[in-house]
Amino acid sequence: MSKLSRDDVLKLAALSKLRLSDDEVEKLRGELSEILSYVETLNQVDTTGLEPTYQVSGLKNVYRPDETKDYGYKVEDLLKNAPATQDSQFKVKRVLE
Amino acid sequence: MSRWPAIDELAADVKSGKIKAVELVKQSLKAISDNQEFDAIISTLEGRALDRAAQIDKQPAGRLAGVPFIAKDNFLTLGGKTTAASNILRPFEAPYQATAIEKLEAEGAICVAKANLDAFAHGSSTENSDWFVTKNPHDKTRVPGGSSGGSAAAVILDMAPFALGTDTGGSIRLPASFVGAVGVKPTYGRVSRSGVVAMASSTDVIGPLTKTATDAALVLDVMSGRDELDSTTIEKAEASYTDLDFDWSGKKIGVIKEYMQEGLDAGVKAVIEGSIEKLKSAGAAVEEVSLPSLPLALAVYYIVCPAEVSSNLSRYDGQRYGYSAKDAKNLDESYELSREEGFGAEAKRRIMIGTYVLSSGYYDAYYKKAQTVRTKIINEFSEAFSKFDFLVGPISPTPAFKIGEKTADPLKMYLNDIMTVAANMSGNPAISVPAGLAGNLPVGLQIIAPMASDHQMLAAAKAFEDLG
């Protein structure tokens, strides 16, 4: 399965929260199909008996004390990049109509 | 352009009062302004840099006292914007700094400017930057490599004695090779990524770009170590990386067979073969070694990387920071329009591929399979390092390519990373050291070292430089 349909691309775009233009959908359909065909070459690799590796540092369960810590950040600095705020919180558009 | 002395000498001269940090910052800013045609720099931090320099001049201290540097624009810094060369972060002002920046500042270094990159570090040429394409200092019609292309070009243009980059699939080593700089990809976990815009979290590392291995060792030494803000950071066994004593005699070097085969540019091949001869003459035992799964690392990378990218870029939702679409009617439309208008073509491509390979029904066939092939690659490295001290080969099949040559075909662009990605998938440290010229274009020798052997790798790189 490597040739994507237009509907496949639109479904991926919806999952990715991207509102693609018609031109982008058509372009990505070709490009994604080509990239997926390339990575599918891995299907021919024999990996019998091997486990997947998800991280390479060898570290396990790095804990810290469950305590609050003051890093000296000011709330207004942390919110200064937000498009809209109210009462020290992010303000977003209506969710329910 | 005037060259910078060695970084330790520079810091010593600032501490002794022989030179002023303010003068160094001005020299750096002048080199930036004199070389604007190369488009290496997105923004300067002039105000903050000069203020810091004036402070340092009052009481100079630290191993990097007064030394100017340039950070890739995906490091959070105070005193200006941090954009990751992306439209969606165009207005972003960081509220805090990356741990790496904090550590360098604590030793007296001064961040002077932010360097260009492929947006979100997605690319191999800086052509995916939403700002402009950086030009190779050796040939303005060619790319500097990427994604840390602005940082690499800045070092060669003497804009600062060192620059910082990030390497997720080769993004420090490739531009270092293309412009003739030293570029270090440390062991995974060596340097904290806190405050660096995340790309693929299981392979992202931070490292220096410099003119010499000695300078790189000092900078890496300052940046490395555990950080409670990045729980993937590892302990550093050595007290310091700056003692670079090394002897080639008795060292076993493996030349990676799969990287020396057909498709390798004749000029690159000649430089690498010449380097191998130098190592032999110096007394190293050099042999060819086969790691047959290494070329598979690229396909593994282009599953794992987009998967992690799609997850890491989900935070750009137009609600908390970054670009936010103005005329959205509801929250969902605000997400979709902010991301559609804010992300460039390559970010969208990677988000879509990542979403595909992680989606239910495809996860095992793509993501899990890729991570299992990753184990195979790691096993081959482990076996090779049971016989060899270092593995060597080229960084890239060709020297710097022409601007525009590969932009029409994303897969062709991805293939630039074929010789660098394996070390990212395995976590091993690797370095690009200038090795010679193919025509008028620089070629780097890649030295890959066993896990956590960053210090030995830097010493070998210095010893290779000394062979001339």
Side-chain angles (χ1 to χ4, degrees):
Chain A
M1 165 58 209
S2 59
K3 200 71 190 158
L4 296 182
S5 67
R6 191 182 155 76
D7 282 350
D8 291 332
V9 176
L10 288 172
K11 188 181 168 207
L12 283 176
L15 288 170
S16 306
K17 296 276 181 224
L18 291 168
R19 187 169 295 188
L20 302 176
S21 68
D22 282 348
D23 284 354
E24 283 180 308
V25 170
E26 203 40 48
K27 197 155 183 276
L28 280 164
R29 199 168 74 85
E31 289 173 351
L32 301 188
S33 298
E34 199 193 343
I35 294 165
L36 288 170
S37 300
Y38 174 72
V39 299
E40 280 165 10
T41 53
L42 293 182
N43 293 335
Q44 288 141 35
V45 181
D46 180 12
T47 50
T48 316
L50 294 176
E51 292 293 317
T53 300
Y54 295 104
Q55 61 99 0
V56 296
S57 66
L59 298 170
K60 280 177 194 159
N61 299 337
V62 178
Y63 295 116
R64 59 169 173 76
D66 186 16
E67 294 163 353
T68 56
K69 195 168 168 180
D70 183 3
Y71 285 94
Y73 304 143
K74 293 199 202 91
V75 172
E76 54 267 35
D77 283 345
L78 295 171
L79 289 176
K80 71 180 174 183
N81 287 289
T85 60
Q86 188 181 317
D87 305 328
S88 296
Q89 295 175 69
F90 296 108
K91 187 178 174 187
V92 300
K93 291 196 186 298
R94 176 183 284 277
V95 179
L96 299 172
E97 296 298 332
Chain B
M1 66 179 97
S2 65
R3 294 180 61 96
W4 298 89
I7 292 174
D8 56 350
E9 288 172 30
L10 208 51
D13 284 350
V14 170
K15 280 186 276 193
S16 72
K18 196 172 153 196
I19 38 175
K20 293 286 178 198
V22 168
E23 294 310 315
L24 297 180
V25 169
K26 285 182 180 165
Q27 183 184 333
S28 174
L29 290 167
K30 182 172 187 307
I32 290 167
S33 146
D34 288 349
N35 289 289
Q36 288 184 36
E37 62 196 300
F38 291 95
D39 285 327
I41 300 298
I42 291 177
S43 61
T44 70
L45 306 175
E46 182 168 352
R48 187 169 188 276
L50 286 169
D51 287 350
R52 267 182 53 75
Q55 282 300 316
I56 288 165
D57 280 333
K58 285 182 196 159
Q59 203 171 15
R63 301 168 72 195
L64 302 171
V67 177
F69 72 96
I70 289 166
K72 189 177 181 179
D73 201 26
N74 57 353
F75 286 74
L76 304 196
T77 51
L78 298 175
K81 293 202 165 58
T82 296
T83 71
S86 69
N87 273 322
I88 207 161
L89 277 177
R90 191 178 281 264
F92 182 70
E93 285 180 33
Y96 60 92
Q97 301 205 106
T99 296
I101 303 285
E102 291 285 329
K103 284 190 161 190
L104 293 166
E105 284 197 350
E107 290 292 345
I110 301 169
C111 188
V112 172
K114 306 295 290 291
N116 193 31
L117 60 148
D118 292 284
F120 287 110
H122 300 165
S124 310
S125 67
T126 74
E127 289 166 295
N128 290 333
S129 169
D130 289 343
W131 296 167
F132 34 66
V133 179
T134 300
K135 283 83 190 170
N136 192 309
H138 299 271
D139 178 347
K140 271 188 263 178
T141 67
R142 292 178 187 271
V143 301
S147 63
S148 313
S151 299
V155 166
I156 296 308
L157 294 165
D158 284 309
M159 293 176 173
F162 74 93
L164 300 183
T166 55
D167 192 316
T168 304
S171 282
I172 289 174
R173 289 162 289 157
L174 185 72
S177 177
F178 278 11
V179 305
V182 171
V184 184
K185 175 234 170 285
T187 300
Y188 181 78
R190 179 60 73 213
V191 180
S192 167
R193 288 97 44 92
S194 175
V196 176
V197 177
M199 179 179 164
S201 301
S202 82
T203 73
D204 285 346
V205 297
I206 288 164
L209 289 125
T210 57
K211 288 263 185 78
T212 67
T214 307
D215 282 349
L218 175 54
V219 175
L220 186 63
D221 195 36
V222 170
M223 291 196 294
S224 57
R226 287 293 305 273
D227 176 17
E228 63 174 22
L229 298 177
D230 178 356
S231 57
T232 63
T233 45
I234 55 172
E235 291 293 348
K236 178 174 167 190
E238 304 93 325
S240 163
Y241 296 150
T242 52
D243 168 11
L244 298 178
D245 275 352
F246 191 86
D247 188 355
W248 286 112
S249 64
K251 292 290 187 300
K252 297 194 197 83
I253 313 292
V255 179
I256 300 171
K257 183 182 161 198
E258 285 71 19
Y259 291 173
M260 296 298 286
Q261 288 170 339
E262 58 180 308
L264 188 61
D265 173 90
V268 173
K269 193 168 188 217
V271 170
I272 302 303
E273 284 174 346
S275 304
I276 291 165
E277 287 311 310
K278 283 184 199 169
L279 297 175
K280 284 181 186 165
S281 307
V286 186
E287 258 180 65
E288 188 177 76
V289 56
S290 175
L291 290 85
S293 298
L294 251 52
L296 300 172
L298 193 73
V300 173
Y301 181 73
Y302 277 101
I303 291 172
V304 173
C305 165
E308 296 183 16
V309 162
S310 72
S311 170
N312 274 326
L313 294 189
S314 65
R315 73 191 64 179
Y316 300 97
D317 58 7
Q319 310 308 312
R320 293 162 297 168
Y321 50 84
Y323 174 77
S324 185
K326 292 288 167 285
D327 40 8
K329 287 189 283 293
N330 55 42
L331 185 61
D332 218 41
E333 193 168 289
S334 176
Y335 293 151
E336 292 191 349
L337 291 177
S338 298
R339 290 164 64 78
E340 169 61 16
E341 291 161 19
F343 284 131
E346 184 60 26
K348 288 178 189 170
R349 213 174 277 135
R350 294 196 189 198
I351 290 170
M352 296 278 283
I353 289 278
T355 302
Y356 183 85
V357 300
L358 290 176
S359 55
S360 108
Y362 296 114
Y363 176 89
D364 281 1
Y366 290 94
Y367 190 70
K368 195 174 175 195
K369 179 73 183 183
Q371 299 286 42
T372 311
V373 178
R374 185 179 194 173
T375 305
K376 207 174 166 82
I377 293 163
I378 291 168
N379 290 348
E380 284 181 15
F381 268 126
S382 301
E383 201 193 324
F385 284 121
S386 70
K387 300 186 195 105
F388 296 97
D389 296 296
F390 302 102
L391 299 176
V392 300
I395 291 286
S396 160
T398 66
F401 49 90
K402 291 269 187 190
I403 291 170
E405 192 180 321
K406 300 185 181 185
T407 41
D409 184 350
L411 191 57
K412 202 169 165 190
M413 187 68 89
Y414 292 175
L415 287 166
N416 289 310
D417 298 338
I418 188 113
M419 293 167 178
T420 47
V421 288
N424 295 89
M425 298 321 302
S426 66
N428 288 75
I431 189 169
S432 180
V433 199
L437 296 172
N440 64 332
L441 298 170
V443 173
L445 175 73
Q446 179 163 222
I447 304 176
I448 308 175
M451 285 298 274
S453 301
D454 307 68
H455 184 197
Q456 277 297 300
M457 177 179 81
L458 287 158
K462 158 84 165 60
F464 177 73
E465 287 173 353
D466 291 344
L467 298 177

